[in-house]
Each structure stands twice: as structure tokens, then as C-alpha cells.
Amino acid sequence: MSIPSPLALLMGNKARWLVGSMVAATALVGLLAYLDEQRESADALEAFGDEQASLASSVATGLLTRLEYVQRDALQLSDETASLSIFGGRYLGASVRRNSDPPPATIPDGRAIPLTVPLSNGRSIDLLVPTPSLFSGGTRLERPNAVTVLFLVPGSPRFLSTDGRQVDAPRLVEALEQGLTTLDLHRQDAARISLPERLALAGLARVNAGPLGRWGVVVAATAQRERDRESRARGRLVLAVALAGGLVLAFGGIALRQQRKELVLEREIAVREIERDRDERLARVSKAATMMTLASGMAHELSTPLAAIVGRAEQLQSRTADDERASRSVQTILEQADRISQVIRGFLNLARGGEPSLQAADPVSIVRGAAALVEHRFEKRGVALVLKVPEGLPPIRCDVRLLEQALVNLLLNACDACNRGGQVAVETNVEASGVWFSVVDDGAGISPEHAARVMEPFFTTKPAGQGTGLGLAITNEIVKKHRGSLSIVPAQPHGTRATLQIPFTLGETNARA
Ligand SMILES: Nc1ncnc2c1ncn2[C@@H]1O[C@H](COP(=O)(O)OP(=O)(O)OP(=O)(O)O)[C@@H](O)[C@H]1O
Ligand SMILES: [Mg+2]
């Protein structure tokens, strides 16, 4: 019978463990995917920042070229006068002054940026450069709400936008001074430079225009698109993990329910097996009880005719005193009747639950006594009976008549199993634990299924009227009362071996008997 509970428990725990691991694995995969997504988004932002930096650097190159033009134009001026016409209207104003004279008080605005170019003869030229012409490189790049370009004019703490607005962005000024090429702009910084109030990235470049000073260029772009893409990717990730988790839980739940069903089924099968075992045991007990009642009844009923037989035989004994042959026959009748009555008494005693009446006996004489009782049957069936019993075995304590009867049952079965010409051998010997008797025949043999049932009361394979199926059941009872054992196994190469073993455990008396 299977042992369901620990196994079932183990299976149940295993299923739970499996579902737990699946959930943990999903969570781990989700975490790894999240980290990967974070890394990718950081990489994307970095690339976006680098892009702004390279744009800033190209705007800076354009600015430098324009400043170089301004210098070249200034050097073309004569020492005498600065004529606007020379520059074809490229400047809004120009004047030459001695270096010792103060420069005109003009500040950069939306229209023009004042620039001073030193000349060789202790003089300088002050030019008013139109803002759009200087910042045209940035204007081309700008897109409203997306990209803003700012310029830091030398000597000014604020930026100028391409349309000449003053923009206050101290963090960007600081970053330019530090020589950074990119800078993350927080929401407020972004809003300050006309970008959406979201993360923005700025690319920074510096321009060294020699006598025209050091300029700064900033190209700032909102990272709104990247941010939106990032949050969409995160949403997809959360959805995927939730879906995977849901699937794991659903399948895990199904697996658990299945497991539980199997568990219940297993338990039911186990309960049914226990019930069947119990019913079988009860049936066996009830059969044994019936057998004992039946056999006791028979023994009781036999005692009356037996007493009559003994009485008549005793009467005959005095009358046949002169006839020796008749007298011997009467004597045999009396002996056998006495034997029957001893067996009946012993058996009734066992049936009442009493202990066998033990006496010291020689195992060999028990074998010979049993053989004598069955030899006529062997002769009749043409089966040889061989006694392989060594002399000088130590005596054992037992109920001699009952043990003889047990051996008789084994011998009769062996004889029945043999064909004419067959052979039955009785072997006996002692070992440390007790004495054993084996009856080995070379007859039809016995199947393992029958061997397992032969001690059941009323189990017989013989035709009705030829076997009651009580022989081995009674033998088994006798052996049990002697605390011994009975086994019926197939013999090699064919036939059957029936062995009964009587231990020396009926007190030490057996060993000393
Ligand atoms: N030596 C044997 N060889 C083959 N089968 C055997 C042998 N001994 C017992 N059996 C089987 O065991 C069954 C039960 O034996 P058991 O002695 O209890 O009853 P029985 O011999 O059928 O009837 P009864 O002993 O009452 O005449 C037999 O019917 C037979 O099938
Ligand atoms: Mg029998």
C-alpha cells in the first residue's frame, strides 16, 4: 500500500515551491529588463546631449568665421575715416577713436552688438554689428519649443538669444566657464530659456576670437520626446511583467488545484485500500472463527461415537483373548481411538484458547509417528515416502499429538500433489533458534498466488468432497500455538516444500528438554 501523506505533502510543497520560483524568476526578469531599459534610456540621453554638443560646436565655428570677417573688415579701414559705405551696409555704425578715449556707451541689444577692434597706431575701431548677421548660424537651428540657441558675448553675465533677448542662465554661464560640453537642464532652467518645462540637454562650445574676446555658444534642446519614449517603454515593461506574472499565477493556480485534486484522489485510494485490507482481515478472522467453531463442533460430536467404539472394543478384548490376531486388531483399534481422542482433546483445548500441553519429545519419533499414520495412504497412491532424519537430535518440548497431526496434514497434501511413482521426503534438523521439519514433494507444484492463500480457512483447489481447505489452516493454528512458523514455497526443480519451524522460545525449557 502506498503511503500518501508525506509523499502528497512533498508534492504539494514542491508545487508551491515551483510557483514561488516562477514568480521570483518573473520578478527577476522584470527587474533586469527595467535596469536594461534604464541603461538604454541613459545612453539615449547621453547621445542626445552629445548631439547638442556637436551642434553647439558647429554654431561656434560659424560664429568664429563671422568674427574673423569683422576683424578683417576693421583692418581694411583707413586710419582717417570710417565710412559706412565701405562695408556695404554690413554694420549699423563705425567710429575710430584713440585708445585713450572712452568707448561709446553702447550695450548689446536686439538690433546690434558693439565690438571694438584694436588698430595698429594706438587707435581702435568701434563697430555696431547687426545681431542677426552674427547669430545667423544659431537662427537656422532654432525651433520653437524644441531647440534654443544662446550666445554669451564677452564681458556680459547674460546670454543673448538669436533675436537679441537677454537671457539669465547662471548655470549655463558657470558650465561654460568650467569647460563642460554638455549639461542637463532641469525643468526650471528649461522654462527659463523658452523650452517646455521638462528635462532638456544643452551642448556647450566656446569661441576664442582673439581681440574680440571669448564667446560662448549654447544649443539647448528639450528631451521631451526621449522622456515620452522612455515612459512609454516603461509602461510596456510594466505591462509585460504584469502579464507574465499574471500568467505565472494563473498557471501556478491551475497546477496547485490539479495537485490538490490528485492529493484528494490519492487519499481516497489510500482510504479504500485500508478499508479493503481491514475487510479482508475481518473476513479472515471470521473465517478462522467459523473454522474453529466448526472443528470444535465436529470434535465434540466425534467424542460420543468414539466412546462407543472404545466401549465395544474393550468388550471384544476379553472375548478375543484366545485369538492372537483378533486380539492385536482390537488393541490397534483401542490405540488409534485413544490417539483420536487425544487429538480431539488437544484441539478442543486450542480452540478454547488454552496453551498446548507441552512434553519433551524426540523430533525423529514425531516424524516416524506421523509417517506411520499416513503410510497406508502413500502405499495406496504409489507414492514413495522417504525419511531423511538424522538420529540423535535433541528433544523438544511440544504437544506431541498436535505436532504429529500438523505433520500428517503436510504429508497428506504432499501425497495428494504427487502422481503415482512420485516421492515425498521428510527432512528435519535443529538450528540455533529451534527445530524445523520440511515435507518436500516432487508433485504438481504450487503457484505463488496459491502459496499466498493456502493458510486461509476453506481455501482448497481440490474437487468438492475431496478437500475441505482446513488442513493447512489447522496446521497453522497448531504451529502458532507453539510460537513457530509455517511456510509453503515452490521446491526446486519442481514440487513443493512445506516447512514448519518450532522455536526454542517456549521458555528455555525447550532448549534444555
Ligand atoms: N504440497 C502441495 N503441493 C501443491 N499444492 C498444495 C500442497 N499443499 C497444499 N497445497 C494447496 O493448498 C490447498 C489447501 O491445503 P489444505 O491442506 O489447507 O486443504 P486441502 O488439502 O485442499 O483440504 P483438506 O486438507 O481439508 O483435505 C490445497 O487445496 C492445495 O491447492
Ligand atoms: Mg490438506
Side-chain angles (χ1 to χ4, degrees):
M1 197 178 74
S2 62
I3 306 163
S5 305
L7 184 71
L9 227 88
L10 195 73
M11 293 296 283
N13 285 344
K14 200 175 165 188
R16 257 174 227 119
W17 185 84
L18 265 176
V19 172
S21 333
M22 280 167 83
V23 170
T26 312
L28 188 68
V29 168
L31 181 70
L32 289 177
Y34 173 77
L35 291 176
D36 190 50
E37 211 280 320
Q38 288 282 91
R39 192 181 50 76
E40 258 191 27
S41 116
D43 285 355
L45 281 179
E46 196 182 321
F48 190 66
D50 289 346
E51 202 178 301
Q52 308 318 312
S54 71
L55 286 173
S57 136
S58 81
V59 172
T61 310
L63 176 67
L64 181 62
T65 311
R66 274 179 191 78
L67 288 172
E68 280 168 357
Y69 279 137
V70 170
Q71 283 187 68
R72 203 185 52 204
D73 285 348
L75 291 173
Q76 280 176 10
L77 272 174
S78 74
D79 286 355
E80 312 306 325
T81 49
S83 165
L84 283 176
S85 59
I86 299 173
F87 303 102
R90 286 209 292 272
Y91 301 97
L92 299 180
S95 58
V96 178
R97 63 171 165 86
R98 291 178 195 287
N99 284 348
S100 50
D101 295 341
T106 327
I107 51 158
D109 62 20
R111 254 173 10 96
I113 296 168
L115 292 178
T116 299
V117 183
L119 300 173
S120 52
N121 48 6
R123 286 179 299 173
S124 300
I125 181 164
D126 298 311
L127 294 168
L128 272 178
V129 187
T131 309
S133 77
L134 207 56
F135 295 164
S136 60
T139 316
R140 277 199 297 276
L141 267 186
E142 270 193 328
R143 271 182 291 123
N145 278 326
V147 182
T148 295
V149 182
L150 300 172
F151 295 89
L152 190 64
V153 178
S156 171
R158 292 187 185 81
F159 285 91
L160 271 182
S161 65
T162 51
D163 57 3
R165 272 182 306 110
Q166 301 253 356
V167 177
D168 196 15
R171 273 192 71 220
L172 283 168
V173 176
E174 210 174 297
L176 275 170
E177 278 166 8
Q178 286 170 0
L180 299 182
T181 54
T182 55
L183 184 70
D184 294 358
L185 295 180
H186 306 311
R187 288 162 174 265
Q188 299 85 338
D189 293 334
R192 205 174 278 174
I193 58 172
S194 311
L195 288 177
E197 206 177 332
R198 300 284 297 273
L199 175 76
L201 285 155
L204 304 133
R206 280 150 288 274
V207 176
N208 187 354
L212 291 181
R214 298 170 81 86
W215 296 63
V217 177
V218 170
V219 176
T222 178
Q224 191 170 5
R225 263 208 343 239
E226 275 65 25
R227 281 304 209 206
D228 288 348
R229 190 203 58 78
E230 199 179 298
S231 69
R232 277 198 304 274
R234 204 165 296 151
R236 277 198 303 274
L237 180 71
V238 169
L239 198 72
V241 170
L243 198 72
L247 282 176
V248 165
L249 284 179
F251 282 121
I254 291 172
L256 267 179
R257 208 168 312 139
Q258 189 65 25
Q259 195 78 53
R260 222 168 286 144
K261 267 191 203 162
E262 279 171 18
L263 215 87
V264 170
L265 202 73
E266 226 171 281
R267 262 193 220 128
E268 273 176 16
I269 291 173
V271 167
R272 257 180 246 146
E273 261 179 48
I274 290 169
E275 281 174 358
R276 208 182 51 227
D277 274 6
R278 190 197 54 202
D279 290 350
E280 278 175 10
R281 233 188 359 262
L282 279 176
R284 271 202 302 277
V285 168
S286 116
K287 268 188 188 175
T290 312
M291 174 196 81
M292 289 311 253
T293 315
L294 205 76
S296 315
M298 274 165 56
H300 178 263
E301 294 308 314
L302 283 178
S303 61
T304 313
L306 195 62
I309 291 170
V310 170
R312 298 293 169 169
E314 278 169 355
Q315 281 175 8
L316 276 176
Q317 203 170 27
S318 54
R319 293 190 200 164
T320 54
D322 304 338
D323 183 343
E324 196 189 331
R325 202 164 156 221
S327 172
R328 253 203 334 267
S329 294
V330 172
Q331 189 54 36
T332 306
I333 291 171
L334 280 172
E335 279 170 15
Q336 293 306 319
D338 180 51
R339 177 183 192 87
I340 292 170
S341 104
Q342 279 184 40
V343 169
I344 288 174
R345 269 204 308 279
F347 193 74
L348 277 174
N349 175 45
L350 283 194
R352 283 191 211 106
E355 288 301 312
S357 85
L358 300 177
Q359 52 187 287
D362 174 16
V364 177
S365 72
I366 293 173
V367 172
R368 288 194 203 290
L373 288 171
V374 296
E375 61 191 3
H376 66 283
R377 173 96 160 250
F378 276 74
E379 271 167 26
K380 208 168 149 195
R381 304 247 344 208
V383 177
L385 178 58
V386 184
L387 304 186
K388 296 181 181 173
V389 283
E391 294 297 335
L393 292 180
I396 52 167
R397 281 178 70 79
C398 61
D399 186 320
V400 179
R401 292 290 166 243
L402 288 181
L403 208 52
E404 268 180 13
Q405 193 54 41
L407 272 177
V408 163
N409 285 340
L410 300 186
L411 285 166
L412 290 180
N413 281 349
C415 181
D416 289 349
C418 288
N419 290 323
R420 184 164 288 278
Q423 179 182 294
V424 174
V426 183
E427 300 166 6
T428 185
N429 218 328
V430 285
E431 53 190 25
S433 57
V435 60
W436 53 264
F437 303 88
S438 274
V439 176
V440 190
D441 66 65
D442 59 1
I446 189 162
S447 68
E449 295 78 36
H450 284 175
R453 297 192 55 197
V454 286
M455 283 165 227
E456 278 178 27
F458 307 112
F459 174 79
T460 180
T461 57
K462 293 173 187 170
Q466 287 184 34
T468 62
L470 287 176
L472 288 180
I474 289 172
T475 304
N476 193 33
E477 285 302 316
I478 293 171
V479 171
K480 275 200 315 206
K481 285 290 179 184
H482 284 79
R483 292 178 206 152
S485 64
L486 171 63
S487 75
I488 312 286
V489 292
Q492 295 306 329
H494 50 85
T496 306
R497 171 182 287 268
T499 303
L500 57 84
Q501 200 255 355
I502 303 296
F504 288 136
T505 49
L506 289 179
E508 290 171 35
T509 45
N510 239 348
R512 292 205 203 106

